[in-house]
Amino acid sequence: MNTRKKYQILKIVAAGLLFIGVAGCEDVLDKKNLDVIVMQDVWKDPNLVKNFLNKLYTDVVPDYHIRIEQSTDESFNLYRMDYIQGALNTDNSSDIVDVWNYEKIRNINTLLENIDACPGLSEADRNSFVAQAKILRAWAYWEMVRIYGGVPLILKVQSTADDLEVPRNKTSECVKAIVQDLDDAINTASLPMRWSGADVGRAGKGAALAIKGRVLMTYASPMFLSNHASDASRWQQAYDANKTARDQMASDFGLLQPNGTAFQDYVDVFQRLFTEEQNREVVFSKRWNYPENSTGVQGRSWYLRPQTSKGGFGVLVTLETANTFLKADGSAYTGLPLNPGPTTTPFWLDREPRFYASVVYNGAKWDLPRDGGKVTDKEWIFYGAATPYDSDDSYGILVRKGIQEGGTYDDVNKISIDWNEIRFAEVLLNFAECAAQTGHPDEAIQVLKEIRQRAGIPAGANGNYGLASGLSGESLVKEILTERLREFSYENKRFWDLRRYRLYTDGFSDGSNKLNGKKLHGIRHDLKTPFNAATPEQLDAIDIQTPEGIATYFGLFDDQIRELNNMPEISVPENHYFLRIIREHRITNPNLEQTTGWDNGTFNPYE
C-alpha cells in the first residue's frame, strides 16, 4: 500500500478520535452526553482519560438488534430475510451480521498506548482503566470472530510506517488473544467484581469472567469444529471457565427474585429485569438515559410496540416460540398443534409465568398508551373492525418482554431502558451446558431447577420442576437450549445458539431441531361478523381467562393458524456459519484471505 493511501486510511480512522465527550468524572456511564475536547489534551488530564474510556463504552458495548431475532424461529420479517434465506454474498452487506470493529479497536489501542503518559493518574486507576479497555477490546474482537472465524489481530496503534495490509490470524490465535485480554482484566487487583455508585455500569471482573465463559463455550461448540462433533479438551476449558465465573460471581451477582410468592410476582420479575436498571442480575449492559443519551425513535421499545402505541411493530412472535413455553406446572405444552386451519384452543390458559411476561396474545392485559388516548388495559389484535386495531395478516402475538408499560403516548420516544447483554442467568446456563457436555449432568440439572424455580414453576411431588428424569448427554443439552429460549426469548440469544449447534443445517444426531426446510407459523384473528360497534371498553369486558369469556371470545373471533404469509422455507446454507469478508474490506486490504465456501476462498476458519 502506498504512503498516500495509508495516510488517507489513518486520517479517516483518526477522525473519530478528534472529538470525545467530557462528563463529570464522578458520573460514568452516568449516561450523559459529553462536550467536545481536542485529542492532544486527553492524555494530560486523568478526567479526560476517564471520559475517553467512557466513549469507548458508548461505541463498543452492544445494543439490541431487531434483525437478529428475525433470523431465527422466534420471529419473522418479510422484508429482511438475507440471512435466513441465504441471500448474503461478497458484494452485499447485512446489518444482521456484518461487523468490522477496527476503528473501535484502534481507539482502544490508543488508550492502552497513551495512558502511561497521563500525570496524576493513580496506579490503581491506571490499572483499572487498562483492564476495562481490554475487556472492551476482547468483546470487539469476539463480535468479529463469532461471525468470520479468524480476523487480523492488531494489538497496537498502526502508523503510516506500518504495513496496514494485515492478513487474517487463525481463529485459534484470535480466541487465545481474546482470552488473554480477559484474563489480564480478571487478574487486575484494582478492578472490582462489579461497580457501584457513580461507576455502576462499568465492566468489572464479573463481566470479564462471563464473557470468557461465553467465548470458550462457543469455541467448544460444533460450529467451530471441522468435523462438527465434539472436542473434550475445549469443553473442559469451557467448563472450568464457566464454573469459575459462577463461583466467583455468586457473592456479587444472582438471579433477581420476585417481590412475593403470588403468580403475578413471578411474571413481574421478568419486567423488573429491565426496568430495575443495574439490578443484581445485570452483568454487562448498554446504558441509556433520556434525553442526554437515549435510544430515540429507533430503540428497542419503539421496534416492539404496536403501531397504535407509537411503535414500529417490528418483532412478532411465532407460534413455534409461543408453544415452547411450559404449562404452569412445568410440563411441556402440547395443546396447539401447528396445523394450518381454524382453532378454538385457548392456548393462553394455564401457562408458566415467563409466557405472560414475554408475549401478548389477543385480549391480554397490556397497559400501553394509545394514539388519541387509551382508556383500557387490554390488547386486541384482529381484522374486521371499522376502527383499526393492531393487526398483521399472519400474526396474533406480540413481544411483551422489556416493554415499559404505562405513561402517555408522547412518552414512548423518551424511554431509554438499559440493554442487558449478559445477565447472571446466562452465566448459570452457560455453566449448565458445559457441565452437560463434560459428564456432570447433576450439576446441569441443578441449574435448570434454579432457573425454573425463579421462573415460578413449582417443584412438584418429585422435586424436578417439570424436568424429565434421567436427562444426560445430548438429551440434556437439548433441554438446556430449549430452556435458554424460554428464559432469553427476545434477548438476542437464540440466533447465536442456533449457529453454535448448527441447527439451521444439521439439527441434533437424531435429526431433531433442524430448522432448514421448515416454515414458521402465526395466528390470525378475524371477526366472524362485522363488529363496527365494538369499542375497547366493550371488548375489555370479555374475561378470556374464564369459560364464559372464552366462549364469548370464540363466538366473536375466527382464529386461524397459518403459515407465515409469503415466507418461503428456512434455507440457511453451509457457508453462512462462517461468513465472507465483504468486497469493501478486501479492496482496502488485499491481504484479507477470503473464507472457504465463498468465491474460491482459502481461509480455513477451523484452524
Side-chain angles (χ1 to χ4, degrees), residues 187-482:
N187 294 324
T188 299
S190 59
L191 186 71
M193 186 62 65
R194 75 177 300 164
W195 294 89
S196 60
D199 286 317
V200 67
R202 292 186 179 276
K205 289 184 182 180
L209 288 162
I211 295 170
K212 178 181 176 181
R214 184 195 279 190
V215 168
L216 290 176
M217 180 185 74
T218 304
Y219 188 54
S221 299
M223 173 185 160
F224 277 84
L225 295 165
S226 59
N227 61 0
H228 315 314
S230 184
D231 185 318
S233 63
R234 287 194 194 178
W235 277 117
Q236 186 61 48
Q237 291 175 0
Y239 171 82
D240 292 341
N242 282 285
K243 186 176 189 301
T244 298
R246 182 201 62 171
D247 293 347
Q248 292 191 10
M249 295 172 67
S251 60
D252 294 274
F253 298 88
L255 297 176
L256 186 66
Q257 296 298 322
N259 288 327
T261 58
F263 188 90
Q264 188 60 41
D265 292 320
Y266 288 97
V267 175
D268 291 344
V269 74
F270 287 91
Q271 183 76 334
R272 291 170 48 221
L273 283 170
F274 293 85
T275 57
E276 292 181 16
E277 295 185 345
Q278 301 303 313
N279 63 72
R280 70 191 308 263
E281 191 161 335
V282 177
V283 176
F284 187 52
S285 65
K286 180 85 167 183
R287 305 220 65 192
W288 295 108
N289 185 52
Y290 180 86
E292 292 87 359
N293 181 30
S294 175
T295 59
V297 71
Q298 296 295 310
R300 184 175 189 270
S301 182
W302 179 86
Y303 275 124
L304 301 187
R305 284 170 175 260
Q307 292 172 330
T308 49
S309 186
K310 211 172 187 176
F313 212 11
V315 174
L316 299 150
V317 176
T318 63
L319 290 183
E320 280 76 5
T321 296
N323 276 357
T324 300
F325 291 100
L326 301 166
K327 294 173 65 176
D329 63 2
S331 61
Y333 178 75
T334 58
L336 190 64
L338 300 183
N339 300 320
T343 178
T344 56
T345 300
F347 64 90
W348 56 84
L349 291 181
D350 194 35
R351 304 297 292 274
E352 61 159 301
R354 288 178 298 191
F355 173 85
Y356 302 104
S358 301
V359 307
V360 178
Y361 46 88
N362 196 26
K365 288 188 176 181
W366 200 20
D367 184 17
L368 288 186
R370 291 276 193 177
D371 187 7
K374 177 174 172 62
V375 295
T376 65
D377 63 354
K378 290 186 179 179
E379 193 71 18
W380 295 98
I381 313 161
F382 61 84
Y383 266 118
T387 302
Y389 284 76
D390 301 326
S391 60
D392 181 273
D393 64 356
S394 294
Y395 292 98
I397 311 177
L398 308 179
V399 176
R400 180 175 202 151
K401 182 188 279 187
I403 304 302
Q404 186 169 316
E405 300 180 31
T408 68
Y409 183 64
D410 290 333
D411 289 336
V412 174
N413 293 337
K414 301 176 183 179
I415 293 172
S416 47
I417 297 175
D418 290 355
W419 169 249
N420 301 330
E421 175 62 28
I422 302 178
R423 50 186 178 93
F424 192 67
E426 183 190 342
V427 175
L428 293 179
L429 284 168
N430 290 352
F431 168 68
E433 184 179 324
C434 295
Q437 291 280 11
T438 52
H440 304 283
D442 291 346
E443 292 179 328
I445 290 169
Q446 180 56 40
V447 169
L448 289 175
K449 290 179 179 179
E450 293 174 27
I451 293 293
R452 289 185 172 206
Q453 182 183 42
R454 192 277 292 276
I457 295 168
N462 59 7
N464 281 346
Y465 293 88
L467 290 165
S469 299
L471 288 171
S472 65
E474 189 175 78
S475 66
L476 180 53
V477 171
K478 286 198 284 186
E479 187 62 49
I480 291 168
L481 290 180
T482 305

Side-chain angles (χ1 to χ4, degrees), residues 176-188 208-209 212:
K176 182 178 179 180
I178 290 167
V179 170
Q180 184 61 62
D181 271 352
L182 295 169
D183 281 341
D184 288 348
I186 291 165
N187 294 324
T188 299
L209 288 162
K212 178 181 176 181

